[in-house]
Structure formats: C-alpha cells, structure tokens
C-alpha cells in the first residue's frame, strides 16, 4: 500500500480561473451538468436529471441528511461595536441534539472575527422570535486552538435551534467571494436536509430535486440516510508540502443501526454515496467495525488508522456486523462517533462503490479522496474534460458521478 503521508500536495493542483467558480446555483437544480466516468472509462457529459437512469439497477444510494445552521452571528459590545462569531460545534459534551434543544444556555466552539477587539465582557443581540423579544448574550470562556469556547445565554425559553435560526445567517463558502444573500437560505440546503448541525452544505446533494428522488424510487433503487455534520475544516487548505503534515479535522457522524444492517445486507452490490461527506461516513463505518472487533474503539477514527501496518483485513460485511453487534450489546440503536479519516491515494475503498460529487478546489483533501477512488491520474482526465467543457466548479457548480 502506498503511504499517503509522502504525497506532495502540489501534485494535486490545477488551474481554476475565478470565473469558473459558480457564485450562485442554477435556477433549476437538476438542470446542471453531470460528468459521468467509471474507473475504467472515459468521461461523458449528461444532465443531472438523468442520474436515476445512470445508476446501476441494484444500487443503494446513501446521502447525508444534515442541515446547515445559521452559524454566522453578529453581536455587539457595550460600546456598540460589532463582533462576528462563527459557531463550529457544541462544546463538552459535543452533543448536537442536547445543545439545540437547550432553552437557556449552551456552549459552542467558535471562531471570532476581530477577536482582539473583544477583550472582556459579554456580547449581546436583541432578536425577535415568533413576535417576542429574545436577548442573546455571548461570553468567552477560553481559547481552543485558533477558536474559543463561547457560552451562550438567552431569554424567553426558546430553544437554541430557534435562537440561532433567528440571530444568524447561512455561512456560505469564502471562495464564493460575496456576502450571504437571502436566496442562500434555501439554495444552500438540500431538499432532504433534516438534522441541524452543519456549517457547510454537503454540496453534491444540492442538485437533487423531489422529481429526481421520485424517479430514483420508481426504479426500485434503495435510499438510506446518514448524518455527518460538516465542519469549517472542510475549507481548511492544505498548507504543508506533504500530506503527512496536514492535520485532518474531526467531524461528527451518526448512523442508525437499521441503516448499518441494510448496507451490510446490500453488499457486495454497489453502494453509491452522495457527496464526500457520505463517502467519509461509510468508509469510517468500516474502520469503526475493525476498531471495535479488536477492542481499540475509543469514539473516533484516527486520521491515519486505515494505513497502519497490521490493520485487520475484515470484509466490509464483517466490519459492519461488528458495529451492529457492539451497538446491540450496549443497548443502543444509533452509532454516534467522530471521524478524522483522511482518504488519499493508497487508500482501499471498502464500502463505497460509486459517488456523486461536485468539483473540488485545487490542492484539497477532497481532491485526494476522488483521486483515491478513480486511481492514478484519472482525476486529471475528469477535471480537464470539465474545464474544456465549460462545467461550473465548487459548491454551486456542476456534478460528477464516478462508478467502479
């Protein structure tokens, strides 16, 4: 196995002019272009609405049902100056459901804009929820890396989910080069978004419409949901020359036991993941099973675990069965875990047999993930075809369907 730690990120660069980055989505989501390519074939151009007919008949489609929260808040100091707070994830314990259900206080790990101007005291914002006033206060509790733990307190007995929905705005990606607009509140959510928690959309899912989902169902293609809350780390550039020096961010995943059993029963027929977040979730399930089977599970998949010497060579079905067995032994119906897994050339895909994904930034870990799936330099063939064919790139851009 190739050790991805020796990979030079400069080998995964390509020219991406600013005008090829889509600043807004198409008015009709499923009218975007779809590049289709198998691991042994040439790229071809389709329209996303054709996706159901392009999936193998015995496919199981797995998608991420996370919902993007209004994570970007502007609060004011007593002097009247405004400070921006970007909520990343709940703090001790990292339990999203408990945090969003809280009706008086909760703590989050946050990025703070112009943090030097916030030396002491609490920040405040007066907001209106259901016609009633709510006073939101933020207190800085201490540094956590380049972020801070912020305690939020508010009045009115509202849930934190209601508070953040009213007080914040959708945090669109910085590479769009514009401020959040009213249209992003709908455009930057998938039609099947359900579970609050992400600070960035699982963008491959943005192309799906109710009509596409109905077409998938009419063809008897199974659909299953998983949850991975996308963190701000998804935009973290690789600053090191070698991948081995890049710290992978941790993300929260949640999968119910029925879904894990259904995926295990479906294999070895193709499982197609919608988006790199679903890819990371499904592949993490395999490694969680390996860790559980060997008594090494501690709640998080380490970044380099898949590449360790002596990694147990379980089949995908055996690994998923180990997860189910462990959950049942603890009387739990849902796996909740964190993953730092990095998928790069040298990685062996265990569960995912295909993926729907967008076009990713140069020199990014997501581009490494695609390369690991397609093999060799085939990602360059796909991206060259897309650049020559006037495809639109990044979050609001066009899509790909990669199949084995």
């Amino acid at each position: 196995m190739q050790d991805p730690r020796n990979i030079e990120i400069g080998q995964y660069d390509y020219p991406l002019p600013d005008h090829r980055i889509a600043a807004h989505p198409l008015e009709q989501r499923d009218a975007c272009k779809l590049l289709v390519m198998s691991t042994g074939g040439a790229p071809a151009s389709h329209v996303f609405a054709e996706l159901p007919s392009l999936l193998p008949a015995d496919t199981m489609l797995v998608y991420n049902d996370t919902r993007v929260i209004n994570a970007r808040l502007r609060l004011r100091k007593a002097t009247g100056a405004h400070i921006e707070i970007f909520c990343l994830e709940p703090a001790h314990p990292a339990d999203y459901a408990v945090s969003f259900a809280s009706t008086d206080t909760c703590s989050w790990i946050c990025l703070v804009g112009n943090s030097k101007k916030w030396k002491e005291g609490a920040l405040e914002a007066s907001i209106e929820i259901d016609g009633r006033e709510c006073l939101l206060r933020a207190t800085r509790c201490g540094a956590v890396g380049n972020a801070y733990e912020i305690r939020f307190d508010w009045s009115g007995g509202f849930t934190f989910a209601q508070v953040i929905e009213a007080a914040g705005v959708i945090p669109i990606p910085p590479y769009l080069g514009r401020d959040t607009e009213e249209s992003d509140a709908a455009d930057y959510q998938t039609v099947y978004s359900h579970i609050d928690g992400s600070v960035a959309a699982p963008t491959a899912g943005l192309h799906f419409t109710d009509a596409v989902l109905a077409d998938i169902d009419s063809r008897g293609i199974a659909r299953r949901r998983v949850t991975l809350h996308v963190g701000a780390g998804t935009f973290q550039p690789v600053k090191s020359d070698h991948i081995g020096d890049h710290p992978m961010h941790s993300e929260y995943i949640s999968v119910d036991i029925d879904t894990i059993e259904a995926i295990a029963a479906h294999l070895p027929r193709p499982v197609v993941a919608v988006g790199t977040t679903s890819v990371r979730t499904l592949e993490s399930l395999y490694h969680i099973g390996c860790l559980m089977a060997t008594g090494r599970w501690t709640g998080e998949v380490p970044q380099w675990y898949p590449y360790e010497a002596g990694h147990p060579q379980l089949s995908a079905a055996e690994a998923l069965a180990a997860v189910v067995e462990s959950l049942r032994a603890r009387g739990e119906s849902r796996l909740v875990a964190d993953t730092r897994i990095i998928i790069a050339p040298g990685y062996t895909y265990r569960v995912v047999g295909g993926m729907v994904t967008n076009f990713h930034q140069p020199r990014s870990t997501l581009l490494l993930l695609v390369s690991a799936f397609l093999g060799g330099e085939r990602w360059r063939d796909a991206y060259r075809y897309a650049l020559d064919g006037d495809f639109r790139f990044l979050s609001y851009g066009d899509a790909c369907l990669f199949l084995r």
Side-chain angles (χ1 to χ4, degrees), residues 269-285:
R269 291 168 293 172
V271 174
V272 175
V274 178
T276 56
T277 59
S278 298
V279 171
R280 294 186 75 219
T281 302
L282 291 170
E283 292 299 312
S284 292
L285 283 178

Side-chain angles (χ1 to χ4, degrees), residues 173-230:
Y175 50 64
L176 295 187
R178 61 174 177 82
D179 292 332
T180 300
E181 299 172 6
E182 187 176 343
S183 59
D184 292 310
D187 290 342
Y188 203 55
Q189 301 283 9
T190 64
V191 295
Y192 45 71
S193 63
H194 181 61
I195 308 296
D196 285 343
S198 280
V199 300
T203 54
L206 296 180
H207 309 292
F208 284 82
T209 60
D210 291 335
V212 169
L213 294 175
D215 193 0
I216 289 170
D217 292 342
S218 71
R219 296 171 186 271
I221 294 172
R223 290 196 284 131
R224 287 283 176 169
R225 300 183 182 207
V226 297
T227 302
L228 182 146
H229 290 324
V230 189

Side-chain angles (χ1 to χ4, degrees), residues 73-265:
L73 309 171
R74 291 190 75 210
L75 289 85
R76 66 177 182 276
K77 297 169 57 180
T79 60
H82 284 86
I83 302 291
E84 184 174 277
I85 295 177
F86 187 2
C87 297
L88 300 180
E89 62 182 9
H92 53 269
D95 191 319
Y96 284 83
V98 171
S99 182
F100 285 123
S102 175
T103 56
D104 51 10
T105 184
C106 63
S107 294
W108 279 62
I109 305 302
C110 305
L111 298 176
V112 179
N114 296 322
S115 61
K116 292 180 180 179
K117 294 184 178 180
W118 184 15
K119 296 181 180 179
E120 59 184 14
L123 305 179
E124 295 185 347
S126 179
I127 56 178
E128 184 178 299
I129 303 174
D130 295 335
R132 292 190 289 141
E133 183 182 19
C134 172
L135 179 63
L136 172 64
R137 291 168 56 87
T139 305
R140 188 165 53 182
C141 300
V144 182
N146 66 340
Y148 295 90
E149 181 180 335
I150 306 293
R151 188 183 74 245
F152 294 103
D153 302 276
W154 59 94
S155 64
F158 302 103
T159 65
F160 188 62
Q162 292 175 293
V163 170
I164 199 170
E165 183 77 14
V169 297
I170 288 283
I172 60 172
Y175 50 64
L176 295 187
R178 61 174 177 82
D179 292 332
T180 300
E181 299 172 6
E182 187 176 343
S183 59
D184 292 310
D187 290 342
Y188 203 55
Q189 301 283 9
T190 64
V191 295
Y192 45 71
S193 63
H194 181 61
I195 308 296
D196 285 343
S198 280
V199 300
T203 54
L206 296 180
H207 309 292
F208 284 82
T209 60
D210 291 335
V212 169
L213 294 175
D215 193 0
I216 289 170
D217 292 342
S218 71
R219 296 171 186 271
I221 294 172
R223 290 196 284 131
R224 287 283 176 169
R225 300 183 182 207
V226 297
T227 302
L228 182 146
H229 290 324
V230 189
T234 194
F235 302 121
Q236 181 180 339
V238 179
K239 297 180 180 179
S240 55
D241 291 333
H242 291 87
I243 298 304
D245 297 322
H246 176 72
M248 197 67 179
H249 57 286
S250 179
E251 289 177 313
Y252 166 103
I253 62 176
S254 174
V255 188
D256 67 64
I257 194 169
D258 291 341
T259 293
I260 300 171
E261 287 186 307
I263 294 169

Side-chain angles (χ1 to χ4, degrees), residues 288 291-292 295-302 336-338:
I288 290 170
L291 287 163
M292 287 178 170
R296 297 175 58 192
W297 176 239
T298 60
E300 181 179 79
V301 182
V336 175
D338 293 310

